[in-house]
Amino acid sequence: MRDRVDTPSGLVLRRWKAEDAQAVMTAFADPFMRGQSIEPVDSVPAAERWITAHGDQWAADSSYSFAVVDGGGLVLGQVCVGPVDRRHATGWVSYWTTAAARGRGIASRSCRAVARWAFNDAELFRLELGHRVNNPASCGVARAAGFAVEGQQRQKLEYDGVRFDVELHARLATDAEPVSL
C-alpha cells in the first residue's frame, strides 16, 4: 500500500515524520483546532506522541493518516482514513488544514486524493465523513471532494457542554469522480 500520494495539483500526501513535530504543535495551537485531538498537542513531546500514535495505527491497519504538504515539504494539514472496518470495507475520513492553508481548496483536493487512495490502495468501498451543521466550510470540502449528503445525526458531538448536530456524507468506490477543482 502506498504511503505517499502525489497529486496533479502539486500537493503531496505522505506519512507523518518525526521531524513534523514542530509543525504539528503549531497547527494545534490554532483555536480552530480545538477538539481535533483526544489529548492536547501543546508541546513538541506531545506532537511527537501524536505522530507516533498515527504511525502505530497505520501499522495496525486501523487508520491511515497523511500529512498534506506542498512541493517544498511545508505541512499544510492532514487527511486521514480511519477507523477502518475491513469486514465491511468502510472507513471514516477526517481532515484539517493549518490556518495559513485555509480557503485555498487544499482540504478538498486532499480528500479527493485520499478517497482515490482508499478505494485503490486500501481496497475500501465506502467512505464516510461528518461535520457539525454549523461548519459550512467543512460541508463545502465534503461536497467538492465528491461526498454526497446522506443525513443528519442529531446532537452527536459535544464541545464545552454544547451538543451539535452532524451532517453525514459518504462516497462509494462506484461513484463518479467529482469535477476537478
Side-chain angles (χ1 to χ4, degrees):
M1 199 167 2
R2 290 179 300 158
D3 61 2
R4 178 186 169 102
V5 178
D6 293 286
T7 71
S9 67
L11 295 176
V12 176
L13 280 55
R14 61 154 173 82
R15 288 182 68 170
W16 286 100
K17 302 176 183 178
E19 54 265 29
D20 295 326
Q22 183 65 49
V24 169
M25 186 186 78
T26 300
F28 277 94
D30 180 343
F32 286 112
M33 291 294 290
R34 189 166 181 216
Q36 293 293 324
S37 179
I38 294 169
E39 296 180 15
V41 183
D42 53 5
S43 66
V44 170
E48 290 168 344
R49 288 190 300 275
W50 184 90
I51 291 167
T52 298
H54 282 81
D56 293 346
Q57 292 167 352
W58 189 297
D61 194 35
S62 64
S63 182
Y64 305 96
S65 182
F66 291 92
V68 177
V69 301
D70 66 13
L74 178 67
V75 173
L76 303 172
Q78 172 184 256
V79 65
C80 180
V81 178
V84 169
D85 179 335
R86 285 283 170 206
R87 181 183 185 288
H88 297 290
T90 62
W92 184 265
V93 173
S94 61
Y95 46 87
W96 54 259
T97 54
T98 62
R102 291 189 192 121
R104 298 172 27 204
I106 290 166
S108 297
R109 291 193 310 269
S110 299
C111 282
R112 289 169 54 116
V114 85
R116 186 54 33 218
W117 174 89
F119 298 142
N120 293 340
D121 289 46
E123 300 178 340
L124 299 180
F125 179 78
R126 177 183 169 88
L127 299 174
E128 299 174 344
L129 66 81
H131 61 84
R132 294 188 320 220
V133 295
N134 67 340
N135 188 344
S138 193
C139 186
V141 167
R143 288 175 181 262
F147 286 75
V149 175
E150 289 196 335
Q152 188 167 310
Q153 299 168 306
R154 298 179 309 132
Q155 297 186 13
K156 181 174 182 173
L157 302 177
E158 180 185 352
Y159 294 100
D160 298 325
V162 178
R163 300 225 50 107
F164 293 90
D165 291 351
V166 171
E167 186 171 76
L168 181 65
H169 295 247
R171 184 168 165 192
L172 306 178
T174 55
D175 289 345
E177 284 293 319
V179 177
S180 293
L181 298 173

